[in-house]
Amino acid sequence: MLDELEIEPNTEFEVVKSAAESGNIGAMKRLAEMYEKGIGTEVDIEKARYWENLARI
């Protein structure tokens, strides 16, 4: 089902980033993880921490 779908990391990053920018807390957490691990983007610890902190507010 949906769990079995494979999404290209760059596509997932863009979708998650858009949702995070729209205020979705789960997406903010996922985006932080993606920045931290370099999934679909370059590793950027500063941006990872930014999104982690924003998700806590």
Side-chain angles (χ1 to χ4, degrees):
M1 320 279 196
L2 290 178
D3 292 339
E4 298 172 9
L5 289 177
E6 289 190 29
I7 300 172
E8 291 293 321
N10 292 345
T11 302
E12 179 186 4
F13 176 80
E14 292 303 322
V15 170
V16 170
K17 185 174 185 234
S18 178
E21 290 171 342
S22 295
N24 183 297
I25 303 260
M28 290 177 189
K29 292 175 182 178
R30 177 65 177 144
L31 186 59
E33 177 185 20
M34 294 178 87
Y35 274 123
E36 185 174 358
K37 295 180 179 178
I39 301 169
T41 188
E42 296 291 322
V43 171
D44 190 326
I45 300 302
E46 186 175 317
K47 287 182 181 178
R49 298 301 167 250
Y50 169 81
W51 286 106
E52 285 176 357
N53 290 331
L54 196 59
R56 291 185 191 138
I57 296 175

